[in-house]
Amino acid sequence: MDHPHGGHGGHGGHEMGGVVSSLDSWGAVLFIGWAVAMWAAVAVVAYANRGPVRPWLFKTSVAVIGLGVVGQIGHFQEHVVQAGYWVANPYSPAWMTPWANSIARGMGQIDPTKPALGMEILHLTGNFIFLAGLVGIVQITRRATGALKSRKWAKMGVWMQGIHGIEHIVLTLSVALGASRAIGLSTWFGAIDPGPALVTYRVWWHFVANLIGTAILAAALFYLWKEKKAVKDGYLPEPAAADEDRALFPAPDPVSDSAEQSAQVAEHVRERELVSRS
């Protein structure tokens, strides 16, 4: 999601502006809270996965993945809409949906003197929600045995989205620290002057990056569904796992073993008697 903020933002001529409503503020608070809650859950799951199986671990991981998927659907549709608007209006400032602008206005209250800051924080938060969902897939497959394709794809997504997240950290910090425009790879480090060229480059840079990231997430989810039995088996309670092992490899029966040994001894004695008589 890339939004121009006039000459100050360095992306074009569109101003976010306007009076900040209570809806804008609540939207910003809830969106940031969403990201914080997801990362708190990721931290708890990652720590708990180091110990014995706990009943809530699997469901918590599923919830993190689900919230990450919902977040990325909303995130990616913004990029699709923005790219579509650019196709219809290639020389116009970039366009954002009303709800994205609303949340960005709420986030921009952190420093009203920097019009671009709210939108950069919105980008940063959306990308870290997506990253948390990918980390959730890595965590839910942690206890499964064997090389799972879902884990492989999720790790690939974590690396890619992690790098993309660093890009958004740089963009946000550059604006927060007073740069005249966001500085990062998606703005060619401020070398492209504000206008249609910068809007085009940034809109399509982030669209392609999120298209690839979303495809990786889809592949990870596809294989996670196919490998769900192996993943669930890793979360079986330890007594249940022990019962399965006993069913497959039953323990020796002391009574039957004793009877078998007695029969073997008696057979050996008879053989010796027959040998002595002959």
Side-chain angles (χ1 to χ4, degrees):
M1 293 180 289
D2 298 295
H3 183 83
H5 304 280
H8 184 81
H11 302 161
H14 184 76
E15 286 287 348
M16 195 163 54
V19 178
V20 179
S21 68
S22 58
L23 182 61
D24 299 337
S25 299
W26 276 111
V29 169
L30 291 175
F31 198 61
I32 292 175
W34 180 354
V36 171
M38 284 189 68
W39 278 101
V42 165
V44 169
V45 168
Y47 180 80
N49 260 332
R50 299 167 61 186
V53 174
R54 301 178 188 276
W56 51 267
L57 263 176
F58 181 80
K59 291 182 179 180
T60 303
S61 298
V62 170
V64 169
I65 295 168
L67 288 172
V69 170
V70 171
Q72 182 55 15
I73 290 173
H75 182 192
F76 186 57
Q77 67 86 25
E78 287 287 332
H79 286 285
V80 172
V81 169
Q82 194 171 63
Y85 183 86
W86 181 92
V87 170
N89 306 276
Y91 297 103
S92 298
W95 181 82
M96 292 296 300
T97 58
W99 46 88
N101 277 322
S102 172
I103 296 173
R105 280 194 299 272
M107 291 178 171
Q109 295 177 90
I110 293 175
D111 188 349
T113 66
K114 299 180 174 69
L117 185 58
M119 190 58 69
E120 296 298 347
I121 296 173
L122 175 62
H123 301 329
L124 180 65
T125 306
N127 277 276
F128 272 86
I129 287 174
F130 180 24
L131 180 59
L134 288 164
V135 175
I137 299 177
V138 174
Q139 287 300 320
I140 202 172
T141 57
R142 184 171 175 177
R143 293 180 178 272
T145 58
L148 300 185
K149 289 185 178 181
S150 54
R151 184 175 178 83
K152 176 181 176 181
W153 279 94
K155 281 186 173 182
M156 188 190 310
V158 168
W159 276 104
M160 179 181 175
Q161 192 59 26
I163 294 170
H164 193 72
I166 292 172
E167 161 75 1
H168 278 285
I169 290 174
V170 172
L171 292 168
T172 303
L173 284 177
S174 63
V175 173
L177 295 175
S180 61
R181 67 188 69 169
I183 298 173
L185 183 58
S186 61
T187 63
W188 205 243
F189 304 102
I192 304 176
D193 292 330
L198 179 56
V199 170
T200 300
Y201 176 62
R202 189 167 185 186
V203 164
W204 287 101
W205 195 97
H206 284 284
F207 173 79
V208 171
N210 277 274
L211 177 64
I212 295 172
T214 303
I216 291 174
L217 173 63
L221 291 172
F222 171 75
Y223 285 113
L224 184 62
W225 176 257
K226 292 187 68 175
E227 298 165 342
K228 60 182 181 295
K229 185 181 185 305
V231 173
K232 285 183 178 179
D233 287 349
Y235 289 87
L236 287 174
E238 291 179 356
D243 290 342
E244 285 193 358
D245 289 342
R246 283 194 292 270
L248 293 173
F249 307 102
D253 185 354
V255 176
S256 62
D257 284 354
S258 177
E260 185 178 349
Q261 290 175 358
S262 299
Q264 289 176 350
V265 170
E267 181 66 22
H268 182 66
V269 170
R270 283 196 297 271
E271 288 177 358
R272 291 186 62 183
E273 289 176 353
L274 288 174
V275 171
S276 61
R277 288 176 184 175
S278 61

